[in-house]
Amino acid sequence: MLLNRAETLAIDNPARRALQRWYEAPRLRRLGGPLPAGARVAEIGCGAGYGTKLILDYFHAAHVDAVDLDPAMITKAGRRLARCGNQVRLAAGDATDLLTVFGAGDDSYDAVFDFAIIHHIPDWRAAVAEVARVLRPGGVFYFEEVTAHALARPTYRRLFDHPEHDRFTGAEFCDELPGHGLTVLGSLTRIRGDFLLGAACHI
């Protein structure tokens, strides 16, 4: 589902970008390891493109296919990433159907990144299945997620819109991955389980 105005402002600001750059990205790389040389990567829920830029500059991906459900976010990302040229392909579309969005067949990517978007997808298990489908054997799924603990807090309920049913805890998210051929390499939670970071390898 699309982000409302409050959450759009919350994710596209200097504080959020600093958190991604100085806290989340180093921990994700520690958990999942570096990308291979020449890595081809997908990012689901790219928003305004800051995560995409991190994948290029910090993780050193050679190419990123980045999708977001909101065309306005793709427009913003296009402006931010204009100098990246052919390293980035942006598209508005559904993260559960990368075949339609990018023509992505099975085993298309060396890595997939999720910077806190899967909890917005009503059928989040379908999103996990799609991540697994497009990952090559040995490819890594890097994820940062907001859990049911956070979404139940009064502040979240007042300010943000999220699917009301079938939310996941950190443990439930990690437990779902092996059923899709994804072996968890490592994970951690912060703020009493509100936020989950981790990495999983496609076997």
Side-chain angles (χ1 to χ4, degrees), residues 17-33:
R17 292 193 288 272
L19 182 67
Q20 276 188 283
R21 174 63 180 86
W22 300 110
Y23 182 86
E24 294 170 3
R27 282 156 181 80
L28 289 175
R29 190 166 67 180
R30 187 183 70 208
L31 291 165

Side-chain angles (χ1 to χ4, degrees), residues 146-168:
V146 182
T147 73
H149 295 297
L151 300 182
R153 295 190 185 279
T155 302
Y156 269 79
R157 295 181 66 84
R158 282 196 302 269
L159 293 178
F160 307 137
D161 297 326
H162 295 95
E164 293 287 338
H165 304 290
D166 197 26
R167 294 172 172 176
F168 50 79

Side-chain angles (χ1 to χ4, degrees), residues 125-162:
R125 291 178 176 84
V128 171
E130 184 69 347
V131 167
R133 183 187 71 79
V134 300
L135 269 177
R136 293 173 179 150
V140 176
F141 175 34
Y142 298 85
F143 53 89
E144 183 262 317
E145 270 303 328
V146 182
T147 73
H149 295 297
L151 300 182
R153 295 190 185 279
T155 302
Y156 269 79
R157 295 181 66 84
R158 282 196 302 269
L159 293 178
F160 307 137
D161 297 326
H162 295 95

Side-chain angles (χ1 to χ4, degrees), residues 21 29 51-61 84 87:
R21 174 63 180 86
R29 190 166 67 180
T52 316
K53 195 74 167 62
L54 269 182
I55 295 166
L56 291 169
D57 294 347
Y58 185 81
F59 288 88
H60 306 298
C84 296
Q87 283 187 285

Side-chain angles (χ1 to χ4, degrees), residues 58-138:
Y58 185 81
F59 288 88
H60 306 298
H63 179 87
V64 182
D65 284 345
V67 62
D68 199 279
L69 190 61
D70 188 347
M73 283 295 183
I74 292 298
T75 299
K76 284 186 175 183
R79 290 195 293 266
R80 172 168 276 135
L81 301 166
R83 295 183 179 181
C84 296
N86 292 333
Q87 283 187 285
V88 176
R89 181 168 53 158
L90 298 168
D94 187 346
T96 68
D97 186 8
L98 298 181
L99 179 61
T100 297
V101 177
F102 291 122
D106 296 355
D107 308 336
S108 290
Y109 300 107
D110 298 294
V112 176
F113 282 77
D114 158 32
F115 289 113
I117 198 62
I118 286 181
H119 70 281
H120 281 283
I121 300 174
D123 188 357
W124 64 271
R125 291 178 176 84
V128 171
E130 184 69 347
V131 167
R133 183 187 71 79
V134 300
L135 269 177
R136 293 173 179 150

